[in-house]
Amino acid sequence: MKVSTLIAITLYSGTVGAFVVPQNAFLRSTALKSQESSRSDFLVQCGGLIGAALVGMPEVASAAKYGSFGAGSPEVLDPSEAIIDDEILGSESVQNAVTDVKRYLGGVRQMEDALAKNGQVDVGPFLRKEYDFVKLRETLNVVNTAFDEDTQRGTDRLIRNIMQDITELETANRQKEGIPRSDRRLEIMQGKLAKLAKAFEDYLAFTS
């Protein structure tokens, strides 16, 4: 009887011992969790500080989002700040190109006058004949040779605007046969022409 009781007590003690977590193991686990928590908190805090800094610096935030493209790129859009080679600008080839650009601007004014007289006029044939993209771009690029690189970045943008405005004007001009142009569509065309004229004027401002 005593022997069986002793065996039972021994087995019970062993079973209980198997489920008891040693105190030093518990302390190590707690320390690790504490370290992980501290590291997580630290990273969150760092992220918050970086985010706040980016919000306070829009250019840096934009660069972080979109990369370095456009960050701090020098584009001279003010003719008074442009660097122009007067000798190149005064050359025959460039002056002929400037004259052609003025002619392009004059053509825009003609289309504006035509629309003012007749809101249903189709400017498409005139637009396609007088504003050939290849010739127009070549003309504008000849004028561009008189500018330094930073100025050209600005005038290149104006050239892109001009080409885009012509494309939009041609799209706005399209009208289904037999359907009159509405007042709203007429306003859109007039707005496109005004925008195109302004782009040519802004470009020519660099040559005066």
Side-chain angles (χ1 to χ4, degrees):
M1 182 70 177
K2 291 181 179 180
V3 173
S4 61
T5 302
L6 180 59
I7 292 173
I9 293 172
T10 301
L11 291 174
Y12 174 79
S13 299
T15 303
V16 171
F19 288 95
V20 174
V21 178
Q23 183 175 2
N24 59 346
F26 174 78
L27 292 176
R28 284 198 301 270
S29 175
T30 303
L32 287 173
K33 289 181 179 179
S34 177
Q35 291 176 1
E36 291 176 357
S37 177
S38 299
R39 181 174 180 276
S40 177
D41 292 342
F42 174 76
L43 292 175
V44 170
Q45 291 175 0
C46 286
L49 291 174
I50 292 173
L54 290 177
V55 170
M57 302 171 64
E59 292 181 358
V60 176
S62 178
K65 184 176 182 180
Y66 299 107
S68 60
F69 177 79
S73 60
E75 290 186 356
V76 178
L77 293 175
D78 185 350
S80 65
E81 298 177 1
I83 298 177
I84 302 172
D85 188 317
D86 292 333
E87 184 176 351
I88 296 178
L89 180 61
S91 66
E92 182 178 359
S93 60
V94 173
Q95 284 301 306
N96 287 340
V98 171
T99 299
D100 287 340
V101 175
K102 291 178 179 178
R103 181 176 58 81
Y104 285 127
L105 174 58
V108 176
R109 298 304 187 198
Q110 291 179 39
M111 288 186 282
E112 287 181 324
D113 291 342
L115 273 178
K117 295 175 182 178
N118 178 9
Q120 303 300 320
V121 67
D122 180 8
V123 301
F126 178 84
L127 195 61
R128 288 187 291 273
K129 178 182 177 182
E130 300 297 330
Y131 294 85
D132 178 86
F133 268 22
V134 175
K135 293 180 180 179
L136 174 59
R137 185 179 292 278
E138 287 178 353
T139 300
L140 295 171
N141 285 339
V142 169
V143 178
N144 242 16
T145 60
F147 310 138
D148 77 320
E149 290 184 2
D150 288 346
T151 304
Q152 285 181 8
R153 291 188 180 95
T155 53
D156 282 345
R157 178 190 288 186
L158 290 174
I159 290 174
R160 291 193 297 271
N161 289 347
I162 288 171
M163 308 305 282
Q164 180 64 31
D165 290 343
I166 292 173
T167 301
E168 292 179 0
L169 176 61
E170 187 169 7
T171 301
N173 176 71
R174 292 172 187 162
Q175 192 73 16
K176 292 183 179 180
E177 187 176 354
I179 300 179
R181 181 179 289 131
S182 66
D183 291 341
R184 174 56 183 159
R185 290 183 66 86
L186 177 59
E187 289 177 2
I188 291 174
M189 282 198 65
Q190 291 171 332
K192 299 295 183 185
L193 283 167
K195 187 181 176 186
L196 179 57
K198 181 66 165 55
F200 275 122
E201 289 173 348
D202 289 345
Y203 187 83
L204 285 169
F206 284 87
T207 66
S208 57

